[in-house]
Amino acid sequence: MMALLPENAPFSPPQRAWLNGFFAGLMGLEQTSDGTPAAAAPVEEEIDTPWHDPAMALAERMKLAEGKPVKWQLMAAMGQLDCGQCGYLCEPYAAQIASGAEKDLNKCVPGGKATAKTIRLLLEKSPPPASAGQTPALERPTGQNAAESRASAGVSRDRPAKAKLLAATALNAGETDKPVNNIALSLAGTGIRYQPGDSLGVWPANNPDEVELILSILKTKGSKSITLHGAAANARDALTRRVNLREPTAELFALMADHAHLEFESVRLAMLAQNDELVADYGIHDVFDVLVKFRSARPPIGPFLNALAPLQPRLYSIASSLRAHPDEVHLTVGVVRYDLNGRGYHGVASNFFAEHLAEGRRVPVYIQPAHGFALPADSSKPVIMVGPGTGIAPFRAFLEERAAAGATGKNWLFFGAQHEAGDFLYRDQLETLVRDGQLTRLSTAFSRDQAQKIYVQHRMIEHAAGIWAWLNEGAYFYVCGDAKRMAADVDAALKEIVSEQGRMDAAAAAAFVKQLAKDGRYCRDVY
Ligand SMILES: Cc1cc2nc3c(=O)[nH]c(=O)nc-3n(C[C@H](O)[C@H](O)[C@H](O)COP(=O)(O)OP(=O)(O)OC[C@H]3O[C@@H](n4cnc5c(N)ncnc54)[C@H](O)[C@@H]3O)c2cc1C
Ligand SMILES: NC(=O)c1ccc[n+]([C@@H]2O[C@H](COP(=O)([O-])OP(=O)(O)OC[C@H]3O[C@@H](n4cnc5c(N)ncnc54)[C@H](OP(=O)(O)O)[C@@H]3O)[C@@H](O)[C@H]2O)c1
């Protein structure tokens, strides 16, 4: 007999038995009566997952998974970041949904509504087995054993520790369209340790002004006791820490339809509950909009809260090294603010840090360990880092770590931002590192300081020979930041450099880059 789960995986005996059985089923292993798999030859062939690329569009990913068993199609629908925000990696989340053990289809934060919708459509065609409801509730089914060992003292997504805000410092100088803050948190007393490359999971609180407005619209006292998904809470606390006020659910529209006094509002709300494609057409972007647009619908606070999706944690690439900042963690947080439908919207977590968390107050956090995004074990190896915008975060951590550890390997950073004057994040620190010889090369691309756009990949092409030489010396190549456009463009530039400098055709260059990734020398942390 063999157990598939490691001994220290955080599950109760019934969960362990069920999980061993579940994974055995997936792998084609025989099961014994207690759910422990007996050794047998796996029958499911090892599958390549070419859609597991966060820079690839959803439609393209779904095409690649077409015709495969539903688990793989579900996986292709995920954000492909393996970020752990949902409590799983992409593949186990897909497996849990396919088996019916996981009912919440909205957990993939990076994939957002498009992912949730694709999953719903796939399940309409291939529903989970009817027996699925009998599986035990799983806290955190897989993928985070490393989290357990690193985030010591049992700190995890579901058992976060409280970190204290030391300072939120603007990283911009003067005018900017892209405000970014360095958030310094104290980890003293939490037992949390991390490695450069890891991310910090943060459980933010919703905007307190919005919470008070919703309470007053629903004519409810904040102290009112309610039951939210079986647990007791008061209304203000539940609105602040437990529910997602950004994305209205079909359940909310249906509830509002039931409570609307005006017939036409009720009909419209019922339509929105059926078809989420109409939601944006009605100028609805968040939960508050629903209350403002449909004034005759005022459900009681308890059902209202239970109709909302749960608040999810946000991840931030760690921007500090413990060697340089003992007992601290720093983040590089871009403040999300935008106008739509004649209204201003604020991102929850970035504005929580920027506006609502006072110095000295605490926030629940945990470590999300990186999957293959770490400094080379051999510190004499050169590293090339491409991190425009907030993508610089992990590279500040890398540089601090290498400097503090006395690493001999060369470091080359490509940084991009809109304007040199306002958006050169960590400028003083980077220039000092250059002067001290710790940062061997710093190449900047300020996109809007001249008539034509200049991006990091343009600088890479200008320095093609240098990049090729460093790669031949064994350099590791890292990319962090925008997944949708930048990561794909940088990938194309890297292949172009390999092709030109290495005198290879496109296919050989692509194979070379694929091999770099397989060897752990091409690593991406994109979002
Ligand atoms: C692995 C990982 C690492 C990350 N590292 C960092 C980091 O180092 N620094 C950093 O700043 N962020 C980072 N992020 C992103 C971060 O997790 C949050 O997503 C980000 O801060 C926004 O969160 P929020 O709560 O402020 O905004 P939310 O309340 O989540 O709002 C953001 C949502 O608003 C919507 N939106 C945003 N802009 C517009 C617009 N113009 N029009 C319409 N809708 C819009 C989108 O649906 C978007 O998803 C990372 C993400 C991942 C997965
Ligand atoms: N999920 C979220 O809600 C959330 C929140 C915050 C950030 N993010 C993402 O995090 C990433 C970083 O955001 P950021 O605001 O710090 O920086 P950013 O938007 O990536 O901008 C940084 C620099 O990159 C440039 N750039 C734009 N397109 C590019 C491309 N295709 N290739 C290379 N460079 C490109 C920008 O130029 P121009 O602007 O002049 O074109 C700017 O000079 C972005 O993807 C952003 O979408 C997501």
Side-chain angles (χ1 to χ4, degrees):
M1 285 205 290
M2 67 186 255
L4 295 173
L5 282 184
E7 279 301 305
N8 63 351
F11 302 109
S12 63
Q15 288 177 339
R16 175 178 295 280
W18 181 84
L19 272 169
N20 274 326
F22 172 73
F23 286 116
L26 275 186
M27 294 169 65
L29 299 178
E30 299 283 331
Q31 275 179 64
T32 61
S33 56
D34 66 350
T36 315
V43 290
E44 188 178 317
E45 65 182 296
E46 201 176 301
I47 184 158
D48 199 17
T49 51
W51 51 80
H52 196 48
D53 177 352
M56 195 183 277
L58 175 65
E60 203 182 329
R61 299 200 305 266
M62 295 314 295
K63 199 152 180 48
L64 286 172
E66 212 170 85
K68 299 261 185 303
V70 66
K71 180 189 108 170
W72 299 111
Q73 295 186 53
L74 288 166
M75 181 194 172
M78 310 289 168
Q80 309 307 321
L81 297 185
D82 271 346
C83 65
Q85 235 159 331
C86 61
Y88 304 87
L89 304 182
C90 300
E91 186 188 329
Y93 182 34
Q96 291 291 101
I97 292 176
S99 74
E102 175 56 85
K103 306 274 184 253
D104 187 345
L105 312 183
N106 297 300
K107 282 189 164 174
C108 179
V109 179
K113 281 184 189 162
T115 291
K117 187 173 176 195
T118 309
I119 295 174
R120 270 201 304 279
L121 292 174
L122 286 167
L123 291 188
E124 272 168 30
K125 280 195 242 154
S126 313
S131 60
Q134 293 157 15
T135 55
L138 295 174
E139 220 172 292
R140 193 154 26 79
T142 195
Q144 300 209 355
N145 300 325
E148 233 60 44
S149 57
R150 258 189 225 161
S152 27
V155 174
S156 67
R157 180 182 189 270
D158 306 309
R159 287 183 289 274
K162 296 262 179 102
K164 186 167 77 176
L165 180 67
L166 296 172
T169 313
L171 289 170
N172 313 85
E175 285 284 293
T176 181
D177 286 340
K178 283 188 169 277
V180 180
N181 291 317
N182 186 74
I183 303 296
L185 299 166
S186 167
L187 297 174
T190 63
I192 289 182
R193 312 291 301 163
Y194 61 82
Q195 296 294 326
D198 289 348
S199 297
L200 190 77
V202 173
W203 287 98
N206 284 315
N207 179 339
D209 302 331
E210 203 172 320
V211 167
E212 293 310 316
L213 272 173
I214 292 176
L215 286 171
S216 99
I217 289 173
L218 294 178
K219 296 194 170 43
T220 305
K221 282 199 172 134
S223 57
K224 185 175 172 58
S225 298
I226 54 106
T227 305
L228 183 59
H229 304 306
N234 77 45
R236 179 177 289 114
D237 211 44
L239 272 172
T240 304
R241 295 176 199 289
R242 305 275 303 278
V243 295
N244 177 349
L245 296 178
R246 301 278 306 168
E247 283 163 21
T249 56
E251 289 80 0
L252 176 67
F253 289 118
L255 177 80
M256 295 280 286
D258 287 348
H259 285 83
H261 294 304
L262 296 174
E263 178 68 16
F264 77 93
E265 286 198 351
S266 180
V267 170
R268 224 168 251 186
L269 281 159
M271 240 164 50
L272 292 171
Q274 292 299 320
N275 185 353
D276 60 5
E277 296 203 333
L278 300 174
V279 173
D281 298 346
Y282 278 98
I284 292 168
H285 191 59
D286 69 4
V287 168
F288 186 68
D289 287 336
V290 186
L291 291 170
V292 170
K293 299 264 174 201
F294 297 98
R295 288 165 187 261
S296 82
R298 294 295 178 253
I301 187 76
F304 175 82
L305 286 164
N306 279 281
L308 300 177
L311 185 66
Q312 300 279 0
R314 308 297 198 268
L315 290 182
Y316 293 95
S317 310
I318 290 178
S320 54
S321 149
L322 277 171
R323 289 179 197 259
H325 307 275
D327 265 344
E328 290 183 14
V329 63
H330 293 202
L331 311 175
T332 311
V333 181
V335 186
V336 175
R337 287 179 193 146
Y338 53 96
D339 291 326
L340 210 65
N341 313 322
R343 209 198 118 185
Y345 294 87
H346 286 186
V348 174
S350 54
N351 286 277
F352 168 70
F353 279 129
E355 282 183 21
H356 303 299
L357 184 67
E359 278 182 19
R361 300 303 295 264
R362 292 179 185 272
V363 53
V365 301
Y366 61 95
I367 297 298
Q368 182 64 45
H371 294 276
F373 192 87
L375 279 165
D378 176 352
S379 64
S380 69
K381 294 285 181 202
V383 299
I384 302 171
M385 301 163 281
V386 182
T390 53
I392 192 172
F395 304 137
R396 179 184 184 245
F398 279 17
L399 289 166
E400 287 190 349
E401 176 79 8
R402 301 250 285 185
T408 53
K410 295 186 291 181
N411 303 298
W412 188 349
L413 175 68
F414 288 84
F415 173 69
Q418 289 186 344
H419 298 288
E420 179 173 5
D423 306 312
F424 196 161
L425 311 180
Y426 300 111
R427 178 177 199 155
D428 291 348
Q429 187 175 0
L430 293 175
E431 290 181 343
T432 302
L433 285 166
V434 171
R435 270 199 304 277
D436 293 351
Q438 298 286 349
L439 182 49
T440 322
R441 300 188 71 165
L442 173 60
S443 303
T444 52
F446 295 104
S447 54
R448 301 193 187 192
D449 279 349
Q450 59 286 307
Q452 82 289 8
K453 290 276 173 109
I454 297 179
Y455 289 156
V456 280
Q457 61 271 26
H458 301 128
R459 295 299 188 216
M460 285 170 57
I461 298 287
E462 283 170 24
H463 295 294
I467 290 180
W468 181 241
W470 280 47
L471 286 176
N472 282 312
E473 292 167 30
Y476 284 55
F477 190 89
Y478 299 90
V479 186
C480 180
D482 173 30
K484 289 186 185 70
R485 298 152 300 151
M486 183 275 294
D489 292 350
V490 165
D491 184 76
L494 179 61
K495 286 174 180 151
E496 188 180 324
I497 289 167
V498 169
S499 170
E500 269 184 26
Q501 298 291 317
R503 297 177 204 286
M504 299 178 209
D505 65 17
F512 181 95
V513 169
K514 196 172 176 185
Q515 191 57 44
L516 272 185
K518 271 198 176 150
D519 296 342
R521 286 178 53 204
Y522 176 25
C523 315
R524 298 196 289 182
D525 174 23
V526 295
Y527 44 89

